[in-house]
Amino acid sequence: MLIDQQLVEKAEKLMPSLQTNEVEIQNIIEVIADDAAFQGWRIKQSMTPQEWKERSYGKNDSFIVDFGDHYVGYVKLAIKSVGSPPDAPLKLKLTFGEMPCEIAEPFESYEGWLSSSWLQEELLFVDVLPAEIRLPRRYCFRYIKVEVLDTSVKYKVAFDDIHCDAVTSGDILQVAALPASLPQDIVEMDRIAIKTLQDCMQTVFEDGPKRDRRLWIGDLRLQAQANYYTFQNYDLVKRCLYLFGGMRLEDGTVGACVFEKPYAHVDDTKLYDYALFFVSVLHDYYEATKDMDVLLELWPIAMEQLEIGVKRLDDRGIVADDSTWWCFTDWHDELNKQASAQAVLIYCLKHGRELASILGKQEHYKYITEKIQLTTNASMQYLWDENEGFFVSGENGQVSWASQIWMALAEVLPSELNALLLERLLEESPSVGMTTPYMYHHLIEALFLVGHNEQAITQMQAYWGGMMQDGADTFWELYNPNDKKQSPYGSNLINSYCHAWSCTPTYFIRKYLV
Ligand code: RAM
């Protein structure tokens, strides 16, 4: 690993202090099987918090509390005994759910390929009652199922209180109100998107506060863009840029994600597109802040990412597609990523050219311009299929949504043809589609780019509006309206239901609709 201790120290000095907000239970609920509901589960109130406080619970009793919204934080419980003096420890099991599925489907049924340790549960033994307990782990949830596994034949327990100290580094007071003229569904979508971003804003921009609870650069890029229009926490973006810049992989590549604990360190995952996004995140940050110091400091690392990206070009000027690399683009098993990677390279070269021009780095500007020409011409010669009217990718000339969207964002075609490309895409709808909100974000950004604002809004309303209709408190890592249990990891239980890359409706609304 290449460590620049000074940059890492600067990142650590920017560690934000988190705001804490105490939130109370809103309801006691049941989760009921219902084929018509999202993922087959709906919630129903079973009693009020007041009724619940008056009840006592013995062996094998359980209840589910509902906080009424999604939160990230530390849970406190106040428990007392009822009946004879407690003559045995209390044994409790807690299960946390962002969504009803996590409460209703036993975690033992999980068979996905990501670690089951992400599923949020806790086993507690309480020796002395009454007790006030603060759970040491941070949880991310709306619902908690509490199972009293055992008391004794002589006593039961009652709960005086369960609450959550919710934490975030996103200060809602910084977020401007939307104009009253906007339609109600857009205002509501904006609110949910902001809540999504806020719950992901911790001591870094996390991808998902349930999972993976870490800083990924692809997620950061979109969060930072949404943050500039909402919380305006510039220091948090700066901290994240320093973390990525300060800890690179052996060959100089910016890593795909970093961990903060027990000390800041970079993961060994290398993603072709994510490394290049260091350049565009830096450019966006500079545009939002005009912070020349950070730009001067991090430019050499950004420039190096472009040079590393260019090294993957074959002698035609096309990104080599073999089994030795991983470019993220989207979660999609069939997707060939050559054309989208080529386009991400061009897109980031263009961001880099802007920065080189701002910095007056003539040599860099010249180098980058040459590479833009090379890769653009090569894209037109080898990836553009005149008959299909689409860009093709990989050995088999695959036509996908992702390839067209990224080529549109890279503005490889002149603007009128770029708009036509997207029209054709919507009309012909190639079968290799999009999986994540991350990819949908890019479709919508591309539509705004070519001036198809109405279509952009319609797509956003259909997709994120679908999540709203399906009961989203925060927007999800994955949403397939035709397969609502879809997961890239083999189980919907492990999907993240508050996910960074899904927060961007607020960015679109505030950038293009206000
Ligand atoms: C998943 C996460 C994360 C994403 C990576 C590539 O693990 O959802 O957000 O950036 O994949």
Side-chain angles (χ1 to χ4, degrees), residues 251-270:
D251 65 348
T253 304
V254 166
C257 71
V258 303
F259 301 98
E260 296 177 86
K261 298 272 167 55
Y263 49 83
H265 59 290
V266 63
D267 185 39
D268 53 10
T269 305
K270 194 196 276 192

Side-chain angles (χ1 to χ4, degrees), residues 416-429:
E416 264 174 46
L417 295 180
N418 216 19
L420 288 175
L421 173 68
L422 290 180
E423 280 168 35
R424 217 172 305 120
L425 176 67
L426 292 176
E427 219 174 86
E428 293 191 21
S429 186

Side-chain angles (χ1 to χ4, degrees), residues 207 211-212 216 219 274 328 331 477 489 499 501:
D207 62 331
R211 203 219 81 243
D212 304 320
W216 286 88
D219 301 78
Y274 276 27
F328 177 63
W331 280 117
E477 175 179 23
Y489 319 110
H499 211 72
W501 64 30

Side-chain angles (χ1 to χ4, degrees), residues 197-366:
L197 176 59
Q198 189 183 28
D199 283 1
C200 293
M201 286 173 74
Q202 301 295 331
T203 46
V204 292
F205 284 98
E206 292 183 12
D207 62 331
K210 175 177 105 176
R211 203 219 81 243
D212 304 320
R213 302 173 61 156
R214 75 193 61 145
L215 171 64
W216 286 88
I217 201 161
D219 301 78
L220 168 65
R221 174 169 154 265
L222 303 190
Q223 283 168 301
Q225 289 179 338
N227 170 58
Y228 301 140
Y229 286 92
T230 53
F231 296 101
Q232 297 171 52
N233 189 339
Y234 303 110
D235 276 354
L236 192 63
V237 184
K238 189 159 139 185
R239 167 169 158 75
C240 295
L241 277 167
Y242 279 141
L243 285 171
F244 280 117
M247 303 180 294
R248 287 171 296 139
L249 304 176
E250 233 32 273
D251 65 348
T253 304
V254 166
C257 71
V258 303
F259 301 98
E260 296 177 86
K261 298 272 167 55
Y263 49 83
H265 59 290
V266 63
D267 185 39
D268 53 10
T269 305
K270 194 196 276 192
L271 293 175
Y272 183 79
D273 46 353
Y274 276 27
L276 284 166
F277 286 141
F278 185 80
V279 185
S280 69
V281 178
L282 182 60
H283 184 212
D284 294 342
Y285 172 79
Y286 176 77
E287 287 304 326
T289 59
K290 303 292 174 205
D291 185 343
M292 186 50 96
D293 294 342
V294 169
L295 178 55
L296 280 167
E297 248 177 326
L298 298 182
W299 170 248
I301 298 168
M303 183 61 205
E304 191 184 6
Q305 301 317 301
L306 296 176
E307 287 163 343
I308 294 171
V310 161
K311 275 197 205 144
R312 264 206 86 79
L313 294 175
D314 62 17
D315 40 15
R316 301 170 303 164
I318 297 289
V319 172
D321 179 33
D322 55 36
S323 57
T324 64
W325 73 321
W326 185 19
C327 175
F328 177 63
T329 314
D330 195 10
W331 280 117
H332 198 306
D333 291 342
E334 273 100 64
L335 178 64
N336 183 284
K337 298 174 178 175
Q338 180 179 47
S340 52
Q342 175 89 4
V344 168
L345 175 62
I346 298 171
Y347 174 90
C348 291
L349 284 165
K350 288 181 175 173
H351 279 280
R353 185 168 57 179
E354 292 290 313
L355 289 178
S357 149
I358 291 162
L359 289 165
K361 302 268 183 200
Q362 284 172 15
E363 279 303 304
H364 290 161
Y365 187 93
K366 193 165 155 262

